[in-house]
């Protein structure tokens, strides 16, 4: 029943956005400078990549504005004793953004929004645990000798915020709404 509900909603969204779905590949071809068709053999087929260079320079400017300094986000405390916790938070959040590869993802987000007029990003929290073999050295209480002991434990490899950019052709929004927050459902393939 759940699968049928999702498929029915996707099929309901598909006809409303058909023109946009057909336009997205054409916009990408214009951006890349891909020309299809027959050309006269006696004419030069020269293409100046103006759209490509304009979009790339705009994306570079936006990405550099967002991520050009370290720490990425600055925190200031209210009182005189708040400075240490503010520095700790700005170091933690900047490290988490670096671990989530936010620079490359922001580049993709700005590129998608420049090309198509909109982009979709999902954000959340990742908690990844992995089994690892740990070796401990322990001192025996009576003899005082050291012994190695190994055991397999679940170790937290990553615990922090993460986000990803979705392809617009994989998104099926609810028709009739402008903002995702106002929609009752939003399907991602």
């Amino acid at each position: 029943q759940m699968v049928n509900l999702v498929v029915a909603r996707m099929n309901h969204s598909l006809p409303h956005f058909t023109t946009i779905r057909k336009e997205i590949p054409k916009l990408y071809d214009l951006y890349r400078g891909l020309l299809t068709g027959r050309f006269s053999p006696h004419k030069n087929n020269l293409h100046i990549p103006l759209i490509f260079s304009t979009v790339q320079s705009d994306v570079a400017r936006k990405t550099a504005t967002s991520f050009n300094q370290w720490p990425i986000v600055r925190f200031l405390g209210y009182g005189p004793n708040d400075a240490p916790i503010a520095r700790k938070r700005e170091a933690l959040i900047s490290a988490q953004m670096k671990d989530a590869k936010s620079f490359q993802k922001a580049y993709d987000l700005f590129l998608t929004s420049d090309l198509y007029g909109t982009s979709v990003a999902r954000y959340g929290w990742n908690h990844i645990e992995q089994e690892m073999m740990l070796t401990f050295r322990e001192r025996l209480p009576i003899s005082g000798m050291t012994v190695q002991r190994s055991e397999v434990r679940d170790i937290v490899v990553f615990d922090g915020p993460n986000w990803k950019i979705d392809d617009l052709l994989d998104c099926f929004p609810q028709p009739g709404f402008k903002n995702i927050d106002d929609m009752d459902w939003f399907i991602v393939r």
Side-chain angles (χ1 to χ4, degrees):
Q1 288 176 340
M2 186 66 83
V3 171
N4 289 336
L5 175 71
V6 172
V7 170
R9 287 180 173 176
M10 186 185 87
N11 290 334
H12 175 68
S13 173
L14 211 58
H16 287 278
F17 301 103
T18 303
T19 55
I20 296 170
R21 290 182 174 283
K22 288 181 182 177
E23 193 173 317
I24 287 175
K26 292 176 188 175
L27 289 172
Y28 184 76
D29 288 345
L30 279 174
Y31 159 72
R32 295 300 293 181
L34 299 175
L35 302 174
T36 57
R38 299 201 172 245
F39 299 109
S40 301
H42 61 279
K43 292 183 181 177
N44 287 336
N45 297 319
L46 182 64
H47 177 263
I48 299 170
L50 182 63
I51 298 173
F52 180 82
S53 60
T54 305
V55 168
Q56 284 296 326
S57 65
D58 186 53
V59 169
R61 190 171 14 90
K62 288 175 184 175
T63 308
T65 302
S66 303
F67 294 94
N68 67 344
Q69 62 183 0
W70 185 267
I72 296 170
V73 180
R74 293 225 180 257
F75 286 90
L76 300 172
Y78 288 113
N81 298 332
D82 295 338
I85 193 71
R87 283 193 303 271
K88 182 179 180 181
R89 286 184 180 156
E90 76 182 18
L92 174 67
I93 289 173
S94 294
Q96 287 175 335
M97 289 180 78
K98 186 177 178 185
D99 287 344
K101 297 176 178 58
S102 291
F103 182 83
Q104 180 62 40
K105 291 176 183 178
Y107 172 84
D108 293 339
L109 179 79
F110 295 138
L111 181 62
T112 305
S113 63
D114 273 10
L115 286 176
Y116 311 124
T118 189
S119 55
V120 177
R122 282 192 284 169
Y123 59 91
W125 196 271
N126 277 5
H127 181 84
I128 302 171
E129 290 185 5
Q130 194 174 7
E131 282 189 354
M132 292 186 164
M133 176 75 75
L134 297 176
T135 304
F136 301 100
R137 290 187 177 197
E138 296 178 346
R139 188 173 296 273
L140 296 174
I142 297 174
S143 65
M145 297 176 59
T146 54
V147 179
Q148 281 189 343
R149 180 176 59 90
S150 298
E151 72 180 61
V152 176
R153 285 191 186 172
D154 288 335
I155 302 296
V156 176
V157 178
F158 184 83
D159 189 19
N162 203 355
W163 59 297
K164 69 179 277 190
I165 310 303
D166 287 328
D167 187 1
L168 293 179
L169 293 175
D170 289 336
C171 296
F172 300 91
Q174 183 180 6
F177 291 91
K178 203 173 192 180
N179 298 320
I180 293 176
D181 293 336
D182 298 334
M183 296 177 188
D184 290 332
W185 51 268
F186 185 93
I187 298 171
V188 178
R189 184 185 350 236

